[in-house]
């Protein structure tokens, strides 16, 4: 039950935090309940939905499946840290342009998973996008526009890096 | 000098990108679970592990002693104050509405029913404390199968009482005559499996008390209905209760409910005088968010030998689960009117028996009754075609209502106002490449290809835009079907809109702004839309049944019209003209034949200063409207899909999917397309993947997203969507609902395709979900 506390140090969206936590605290609860990073939501308790996806030291991770103490020393990027000021990330713009969200509950996770996907494969075809996002569930959109958005963001990012 | 504001008209019809997105893509969304209030406590519920049992003892004393635990209550502790969860749709004289305490007191009747709750300083401590609660149960017999439940001698969900919840019958025309001596008779039984709506945002409630005033935040579709119902259930006066639906992450009917947790959080805030929060886990939600569908459908169709329908009989068993919740018994009734679909026939007989079982109650899930009905009629139309050896499109064509026949009164008594089934079907067959696919199918059949091709057809209509209040009254529903809007122009010419609709993903803020922009001639950016808070939006009936645009949007249009008329009278006064000589276009009032002009923004300022207004004009530029529709709206369309079925593995793969829908005029085609996509995906989910399964003891086997499979991106094809546009005649925008159409259409399209692929093997049904195992079994059984 009440457990011995441990200290974790994490950098989230560029800000360093030091927190005393119970070893059982999930990273997603650290983010949401302790650090006020509520941009990352929770959709399940079995690691299936991907709503909680963040970048953990440069790779996507389901923050409900990681203990806060396991993230000690890590660098975390959430959807809240993607834009620079009012300038949205290409994925945020593409999700907006392609109407790839309705209720938006899956969107933070979907965007973070797409970020990882494009990092590994900058030019995915539709099947690769669909398979790459298999761990992120959306109940609203039927995914067609999400696939379009990822394709669009990929094209835009390639243009930028090619220029 | 009148400043001309650039405003490229019209907004209505434009694929505006959604203004909601700005907060959603940046993680600045306000979900209920994000809310943290000073001193807030966390609630957790202990839930029954038994499907049916008498509660002998619940002891929360040890839980109360744990560190961080503030309180713990049993159902008995909450006592009569917790009231009974409401059912607002007593469908018939014989309906039995059992007492439904939010926390069970004497007996539990489904796995997951709450038996106690704890309140602690954080969510982990609340969860810990559940383990310290002791409960003694005396097991009772579970009641799981509807037919068995109705058999004499069945154990009762309530001892000594029948498991029948109600019967509801409806008959039109000479049914016996239609069936007697009919050249063709098709009789089938279909199973509408139980589904879990699975909105991605789990339910959450935050309730605060300040003196005698309560504020309840809930992830709900229905803040207004919830407020009334909570007041009636708990006795907390309605005017002391404010309900807020902040950003809500999807609903699909599942958040059209008055839940035990909402009632209990309100009572806990009252008793403890502290803010409380409860957020469900997904596995808790799969057990206790109301389920959908779950019907056994016996359908008989009598036809002439050329395929023309003579009559239809439907006999339904509908699983209510253990209790009747908000509209539980009304769901099959919504279907009752839709079994005849788009077809002409002279006689129709419908009967439905609601059955209690020891399972989670069912209630509205996207389409609510209409998907079930559409599935049955569209499956049977394919059976009829097969029986007669004619193309399933042709058999539909011979029966559907022709364009010239609208308005058409269906055999079920609905007045379909408009439609063009032929146009949608022609376009869909063209887009799919129907003829070429039939040729490929013939070729695969001829060479006995292990991978067979099936073409699935669904030519649907549905009734939505709930609803004319007097019709709801005649069906014994407990509320009306109107919607409210108010519009106010601010001194600077900006516009605030208050809507009684309560969006949870539909994009009202965008679509409503488009309507206002065109009606008042202001820029899209100058409109803000307020919703989902009973203190801001005191009147409304919320969002469900594809009603927001066809009812709420019309209220908005009317309120804008009233504001415009008021502004016109001020403009005429300022321009010293007769109002009859003033024209309004694109935000400008002009005196006909002169260049005297005032913008609506100037009028807004003039009304604010009130220095020079017409005699008797109240200095406010605002208006309200409440719209009660005269009819439902009847979107329709043709969905076609090509499915490859591997006869060796039973695996089905949707190769192409075409939807041509007619939702009348369109305010925002982007949003419409999104609704169609999402709807199709959910319908495919029912056809191929989803089923809430209970074991023989009444345990839910599908309590997580690992067991209850909702489709992922990898499971679905791309969709080809187009529209035909036959305006509705029942509202001034000519719009029809679109929220549920895709789900209603797609399930039969997919199953028809699978059965079509397997026809050469003698298969004429596969039970949903059509998993590889089910397909394979269907093949085995008919070999
Ligand atoms: S919350 Fe569902 S995977 Fe993390
Ligand atoms: S947009 Fe609602 S779950 Fe994806």
């Amino acid at each position: 039950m009440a457990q011995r506390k441990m200290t974790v140090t994490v950098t989230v969206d560029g800000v360093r935090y030091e927190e005393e936590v119970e070893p059982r605290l999930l990273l997603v609860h650290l983010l949401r309940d302790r650090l006020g990073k509520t941009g990352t939501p929770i959709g399940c308790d079995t690691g299936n939905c991907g709503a909680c996806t963040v970048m953990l030291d440069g790779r996507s991770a389901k923050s409900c499946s990681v203990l806060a103490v396991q993230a000690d020393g890590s660098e975390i990027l959430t959807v809240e840290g993607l834009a620079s000021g009012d300038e949205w990330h290409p994925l945020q713009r593409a999700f907006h342009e392609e109407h790839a969200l309705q209720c938006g509950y899956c969107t933070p996770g979907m965007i973070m998973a797409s970020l990882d996907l494009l990092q590994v494969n900058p030019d995915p075809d539709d099947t690769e996008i669909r398979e790459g996002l298999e761990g992120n569930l959306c109940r609203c959109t039927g995914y067609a526009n999400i696939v379009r958005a990822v394709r669009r963001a990929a094209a835009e990012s390639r243009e930028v890096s090619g220029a | 000098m009148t400043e001309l504001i650039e405003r490229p008209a019209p907004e209505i019809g434009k694929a505006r990108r959604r203004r909601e997105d700005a907060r959603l893509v940046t993680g600045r969304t306000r979900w209920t679970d994000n809310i943290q209030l000073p001193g807030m406590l966390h609630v957790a519920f202990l839930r029954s592990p038994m499907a049916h049992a008498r509660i002998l003892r619940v002891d929360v004393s040890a839980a109360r002693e744990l560190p961080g635990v503030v309180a713990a209550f049993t159902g008995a502790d909450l006592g009569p104050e917790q009231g009974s969860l409401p059912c607002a749709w007593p469908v018939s004289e014989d309906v039995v509405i059992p007492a439904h305490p939010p926390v069970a007191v004497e007996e539990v009747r489904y796995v997951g029913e709450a038996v106690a709750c704890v309140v602690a300083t954080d969510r982990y401590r609340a969860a810990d404390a559940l383990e310290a609660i002791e409960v003694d149960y005396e097991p009772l017999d579970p009641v799981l199968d509807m037919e068995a439940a109705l058999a004499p001698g069945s154990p009762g969900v309530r001892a000594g009482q029948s498991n029948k919840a109600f019967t509801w019958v409806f008959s039109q025309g000479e049914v016996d005559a239609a069936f007697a001596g009919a050249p063709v008779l098709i009789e089938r039984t279909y199973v509408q499996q139980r589904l879990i709506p699975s909105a991605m945002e789990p339910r959450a409630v935050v309730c605060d008390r300040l003196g005698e005033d309560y504020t309840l935040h809930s992830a709900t579709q229905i803040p207004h209905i919830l407020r009334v119902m909570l007041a009636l259930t708990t006795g907390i006066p309605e005017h002391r209760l404010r309900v807020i639906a902040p950003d809500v992450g999807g609903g699909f009917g599942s958040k059209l409910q008055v839940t035990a947790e909402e009632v209990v959080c309100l009572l806990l805030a009252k008793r403890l005088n502290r803010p409380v929060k409860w957020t469900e886990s997904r596995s808790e939600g799969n057990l206790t968010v109301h389920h959908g569908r779950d019907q056994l459908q016996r359908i008989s169709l009598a036809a002439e030998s050329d395929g023309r329908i003579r009559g239809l009989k439907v006999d339904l068993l509908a699983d209510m689960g253990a209790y009747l919740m908000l509209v539980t018994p009304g769901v099959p009734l919504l279907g009752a009117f839709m079994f005849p679909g788009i077809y002409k026939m002279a006689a129709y007989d419908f009967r439905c028996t609601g059955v209690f079982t020891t399972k989670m109650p069912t209630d509205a899930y996207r389409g609510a009754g209409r998907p079930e009905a559409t599935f049955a009629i569209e499956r049977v139309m394919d059976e009829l075609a097969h029986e007669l050896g004619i193309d399933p499109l042709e058999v539909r064509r011979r029966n559907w209502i022709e364009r010239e026949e609208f308005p058409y009164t269906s055999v079920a008594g609905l007045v379909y106002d408009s439609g063009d089934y032929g146009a949608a079907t022609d376009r869909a067959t063209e887009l799919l490449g129907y003829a070429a696919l039939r040729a490929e199918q013939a070729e695969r059949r001829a060479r006995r290809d292990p991978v067979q091709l099936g073409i699935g057809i669904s030519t649907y209509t549905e009734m939505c835009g709930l609803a004319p209040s007097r019709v709801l009254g005649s069906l014994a529903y407990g509320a009306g079907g109107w919607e409210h809007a108010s519009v106010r122009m601010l001194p600077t010419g900006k516009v605030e809109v208050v809507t009684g609709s309560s969006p949870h993903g539909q994009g009202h803020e965008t679509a409503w702004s488009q309507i206002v922009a065109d009606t008042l001639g202001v820029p899209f950016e100058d409109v803000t839309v307020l919703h989902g808070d009973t203190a801001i939006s005191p009147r409304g009936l919320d969002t469900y049944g594809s009603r927001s645009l066809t009812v709420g949007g019309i209220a908005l249009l009317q309120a804008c019209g009233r504001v415009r008329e008021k502004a016109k009278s001020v403009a005429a006064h300022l321009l010293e003209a007769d109002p009859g000589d003033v024209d309004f276009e694109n935000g400008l009032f002009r005196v006909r034949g002169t260049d005297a002009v005032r913008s609506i923004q100037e009028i807004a300022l003039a009304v604010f200063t009130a220095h020079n207004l017409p005699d008797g004009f109240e200095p406010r530029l605002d208006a309200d409207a409440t719209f009660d529709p005269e009819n439902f709206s009847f979107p329709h369309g043709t969905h076609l899909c090509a499915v490859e079925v591997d006869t060796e593995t039973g695996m089905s793969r949707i190769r192409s999917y075409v939807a041509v829908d007619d939702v009348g005029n369109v305010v925002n085609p982007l949003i419409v397309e999104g609704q169609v996509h999402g709807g199709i995906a959910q319908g495919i989910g029912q056809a191929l993947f989803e089923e809430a399964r209970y074991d023989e003891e009444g345990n839910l086997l599908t309590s997580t997203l690992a067991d209850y499979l909702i489709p992922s991106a990898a499971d679905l094809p791309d969709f080809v969507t187009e529209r035909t546009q036959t305006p509705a005649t029942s509202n001034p925008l000519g719009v029809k609902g679109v929220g549920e159409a895709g789900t209603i259409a797609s399930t039969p399209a997919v199953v028809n395709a699978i059965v079509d692929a397997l026809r050469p093997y003698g298969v004429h049904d596969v039970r949903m979900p059509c998993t590889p195992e089910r397909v394979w079994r269907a093949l085995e059984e008919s070999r």
Side-chain angles (χ1 to χ4, degrees):
Chain A
M1 300 230 168
Q3 292 173 324
R4 185 175 48 88
K5 300 251 171 139
M6 294 172 75
T7 305
V8 292
T9 308
V10 286
T11 303
V12 183
D13 298 334
V15 178
R16 216 174 114 94
Y17 300 88
E18 200 176 276
E19 290 285 315
E20 295 278 299
V21 303
E22 286 182 22
R24 62 177 176 169
L25 184 75
L26 297 176
L27 176 58
V28 73
H29 283 141
L30 173 71
L31 292 172
R32 292 180 53 79
D33 294 350
R34 301 282 289 275
L35 308 184
K37 303 295 287 185
T38 50
T40 302
I42 302 171
C44 73
D45 47 3
T46 49
N48 291 99
C49 78
C52 62
T53 306
V54 297
M55 295 294 266
L56 183 63
D57 290 329
R59 288 308 306 269
S60 71
K62 292 180 172 175
S63 61
C64 73
S65 309
V66 178
L67 295 170
V69 292
Q70 291 173 302
D72 188 28
S74 298
E75 181 104 27
I76 293 160
L77 177 68
T78 79
V79 74
E80 294 173 62
L82 261 191
S84 30
D86 277 343
E87 178 76 14
W88 288 356
H89 184 275
L91 273 164
Q92 292 171 311
R93 276 205 303 277
F95 269 64
H96 173 60
E97 283 300 324
E98 296 292 349
H99 186 33
L101 60 149
Q102 289 179 29
C103 78
Y105 201 79
C106 69
T107 309
M110 209 55 94
I111 287 180
M112 299 316 279
S114 304
L115 188 68
D116 189 49
L117 172 72
L118 294 184
Q119 208 167 268
V120 175
N121 179 359
D123 187 14
D125 63 23
D126 283 9
T127 309
E128 288 167 332
I129 295 171
R130 285 181 181 277
E131 280 166 6
L133 296 179
E134 202 171 9
N136 288 72
L137 298 173
C138 173
R139 193 57 157 168
C140 298
T141 65
Y143 304 102
N145 289 350
I146 292 177
V147 174
R148 286 175 206 169
V150 174
R151 231 193 290 134
R152 181 190 188 113
E156 212 178 292
S157 306
R158 284 198 310 277
E159 250 167 54
V160 171
S161 58
Chain B
M1 174 68 204
T2 297
E3 191 192 342
L4 294 182
I5 293 184
E6 270 307 305
R7 204 191 69 83
E11 280 292 337
I12 292 178
K14 210 191 242 181
R16 267 282 177 192
R17 282 7 183 210
R18 298 193 323 166
R19 53 193 340 169
E20 290 81 350
D21 294 356
R23 61 184 191 277
L24 299 169
V25 299
T26 55
R28 299 297 300 156
T29 319
R30 296 221 174 86
W31 311 117
T32 299
D33 185 62
N34 294 2
I35 297 169
Q36 304 228 33
L37 299 173
M40 189 175 76
L41 302 171
H42 293 258
V43 181
F45 289 89
L46 184 71
R47 298 185 178 281
S48 168
M50 323 271 295
H52 196 191
R54 190 162 300 127
I55 300 171
L56 301 177
R57 183 179 75 102
V58 186
D59 184 353
V60 296
S61 53
R64 283 190 184 128
E65 298 310 313
L66 292 174
V69 174
V70 173
F73 298 100
T74 65
D77 293 337
L78 293 174
E81 207 184 356
Q82 63 171 339
S84 183
L85 293 175
C87 170
W89 205 334
V91 289
S92 62
E93 298 271 299
D94 71 347
V95 68
V96 177
I97 301 182
H100 188 184
V103 177
V105 180
E106 286 165 358
E107 214 169 293
V108 287
R109 296 188 180 88
Y110 63 91
V111 170
E113 188 167 2
V115 293
C117 62
V118 294
V119 190
T121 49
D122 75 53
R123 50 176 115 222
Y124 285 69
R125 270 168 193 73
D128 288 343
L130 296 182
E131 288 169 31
I133 299 175
E134 287 174 31
V135 189
D136 292 338
Y137 295 102
E138 179 191 325
L140 299 169
D141 290 326
V143 179
L144 299 163
D145 177 81
M146 285 193 279
E147 287 176 296
L150 293 177
S154 163
V157 174
R158 283 163 198 84
Q161 290 183 35
S162 154
N163 293 319
K164 195 181 74 166
F166 67 89
T167 47
W168 198 83
V169 295
F170 175 82
S171 195
Q172 287 284 303
E174 302 295 321
V175 179
D176 290 342
F179 276 79
V184 186
L185 179 64
I186 311 274
E187 291 185 297
R188 295 286 184 270
T189 299
Y190 296 122
V191 179
Q192 285 285 329
Q193 80 270 35
R194 183 176 269 258
L195 300 178
I196 301 179
S198 309
M200 288 316 298
E201 182 203 17
R203 289 178 301 157
V205 184
V206 171
C207 190
D208 194 11
R209 170 181 176 184
L210 270 180
E212 290 312 308
D213 292 308
Y214 297 83
T215 301
L216 182 117
H217 290 79
S218 180
T220 180
Q221 294 174 228
I222 52 160
H224 298 94
I225 296 173
L226 184 59
R227 182 194 195 199
V228 179
M229 289 298 171
L230 285 175
L232 293 173
T233 305
T234 64
I236 289 173
E238 189 182 353
H239 65 298
R240 293 296 195 190
L241 179 58
R242 171 182 181 187
V243 175
I244 301 176
D247 284 318
V248 176
F252 317 111
S254 71
K255 293 171 181 168
L256 164 52
Q257 192 55 270
V258 178
T259 65
E261 295 82 1
E262 287 161 327
V263 172
V264 171
C265 284
L266 185 55
L267 293 183
L268 293 174
K270 182 180 181 195
R271 287 201 180 185
L272 304 173
N273 204 3
R274 298 266 301 263
V276 297
K277 177 196 271 187
W278 169 75
T279 302
E280 77 185 352
S281 65
R282 175 67 53 184
S283 35
E284 200 177 13
N286 276 17
L287 287 169
T288 62
V289 172
H290 70 241
H291 292 172
R293 316 279 190 261
D294 207 344
Q295 296 180 353
L296 190 66
Q297 311 173 300
R298 296 192 194 92
I299 179 164
S300 327
L301 181 131
E304 306 291 355
S305 44
D306 65 359
R308 275 179 303 121
I309 302 169
R310 292 164 59 117
L312 182 71
K313 283 198 267 195
V314 174
D315 188 357
L316 278 191
L317 296 184
D319 193 336
M320 304 286 102
Y323 301 92
L324 302 186
M325 295 193 72
L326 193 61
V327 299
T328 302
V331 170
L333 263 64
L334 288 172
F337 299 94
M338 289 323 303
F339 280 90
I342 63 170
Y343 310 112
K344 294 180 276 192
M345 61 191 78
Y348 173 49
D349 186 85
F350 174 89
R351 60 190 54 241
C352 173
T353 307
V355 186
F356 287 118
T357 59
T358 52
K359 297 182 191 171
M360 180 63 207
T362 55
D363 207 310
Y365 170 53
R366 203 169 191 171
R370 292 99 79 207
E372 296 92 316
T374 304
F375 179 86
I377 185 70
E378 288 303 298
R379 285 285 300 108
V380 154
M381 291 307 281
D382 263 32
E383 296 302 302
L384 175 64
H386 176 70
E387 180 82 20
L388 295 172
I390 38 184
D391 184 283
L393 275 178
E394 179 54 28
V395 91
R396 287 170 168 83
R397 224 179 267 285
R398 287 181 194 174
N399 283 290
W400 72 41
I401 302 154
E402 296 291 344
R403 189 170 50 137
E404 315 72 65
E405 294 175 280
F406 290 96
Y408 184 90
T409 303
S410 81
V411 69
L414 297 172
V415 181
Y416 295 176
D417 62 332
S418 72
D420 189 343
Y421 307 140
T425 303
D426 289 348
R427 186 63 189 139
T429 49
E430 196 179 319
L431 286 168
L432 186 78
Y434 186 78
L437 283 169
R438 282 282 179 223
E440 179 185 336
Q441 177 183 57
E443 189 266 324
R444 286 193 193 224
R445 283 181 181 177
R447 71 177 151 91
R448 303 220 154 75
D449 190 335
V451 179
Q452 287 291 323
L453 178 67
I455 302 169
I457 298 165
S458 168
T459 50
Y460 77 97
T461 187
E462 65 124 341
M463 57 187 272
C464 64
L466 306 182
S469 296
R470 66 191 155 76
V471 176
L472 293 177
S474 71
L475 293 172
Y477 180 60
W482 48 265
E483 192 49 271
H484 185 82
S486 60
V487 174
R488 48 189 183 244
M489 289 208 67
L490 307 179
T492 56
K494 312 295 183 199
V495 186
E496 267 178 354
V497 169
V498 179
T499 176
S501 302
S502 195
H504 36 282
Q506 294 87 346
H508 291 20
E509 291 167 30
T510 303
W512 275 208
S513 298
Q514 290 177 270
I515 293 172
V516 174
D518 274 5
T519 322
L520 294 181
V522 298
F524 173 83
E525 292 74 18
D526 285 1
V527 186
T528 192
V529 179
L530 306 172
H531 57 78
D533 178 344
T534 59
I536 291 171
S537 156
R539 281 178 292 278
L541 284 173
D542 309 315
T543 288
Y544 53 88
S546 305
R547 69 189 306 274
S548 290
L549 180 60
T550 56
V551 190
I554 305 306
L556 175 61
L557 186 77
Q558 292 180 340
C560 286
R562 287 173 192 169
V563 168
R564 203 179 49 209
E565 284 315 301
K566 282 189 180 178
K568 186 188 227 180
S569 71
V570 176
H573 174 76
L574 293 176
L575 295 166
E576 296 175 354
D578 186 277
D581 294 332
V582 175
D583 290 332
F584 179 74
E585 199 190 347
N586 231 354
L588 297 177
F589 294 97
R590 275 179 213 282
V591 182
R592 210 166 304 134
T594 74
D595 51 13
V597 64
R598 283 285 189 285
S599 72
I600 196 162
Q601 291 84 1
E602 286 175 303
I603 304 299
L605 185 62
V607 170
F608 173 68
T609 60
H611 296 162
N612 181 14
L613 296 176
D615 285 342
F617 188 97
E618 278 183 41
R620 40 190 278 200
L621 195 48
D622 57 10
D624 283 18
T626 304
F627 177 71
D628 201 329
E630 65 187 49
N631 195 357
F632 297 91
S633 99
F634 299 98
H636 73 82
T638 298
H639 286 216
L640 301 176
C641 69
V643 176
E644 284 179 2
V645 184
D646 187 327
T647 57
E648 283 162 2
T649 64
M651 194 70 188
S652 305
R653 185 179 76 88
I654 302 176
R655 203 167 87 179
S656 51
Y657 195 104
V658 168
V660 178
D661 295 284
D662 194 321
V663 297
N665 294 337
V666 162
V667 172
N668 185 322
L670 200 70
I671 290 177
V672 165
E673 190 192 37
Q675 288 291 321
V676 170
H677 283 178
I680 294 171
Q682 277 181 20
I684 293 175
Q686 175 171 16
L688 294 182
F689 306 110
E690 298 179 30
E691 178 167 36
R693 282 187 296 121
Y694 284 89
D695 70 11
E696 59 288 349
E697 258 133 44
N699 298 303
L700 185 70
L701 299 174
T702 52
S703 65
T704 73
L705 286 172
D707 320 297
Y708 186 84
L709 301 178
I710 70 171
S712 78
D715 296 322
L716 293 174
D718 201 6
F719 311 121
V720 176
T721 57
E722 272 197 18
R723 281 182 288 107
T724 54
Q725 200 155 317
T726 316
T729 61
S730 55
N731 67 66
L733 283 175
V735 293
K736 307 175 185 176
V738 67
E740 296 157 296
T743 300
I744 290 167
S746 65
T747 310
V750 173
V751 177
N752 276 341
I754 292 170
V755 175
D756 185 51
L758 303 178
R759 291 274 183 209
Y761 302 81
V763 172
H764 55 79
D765 193 28
V766 180
R767 233 186 94 172
M768 296 188 290
C770 303
T771 57
E773 186 195 332
R774 289 254 170 88
V775 169
W776 184 82
R777 276 186 200 289
L779 277 164
E780 284 301 296
E781 277 160 23
S782 46
R783 273 193 226 269

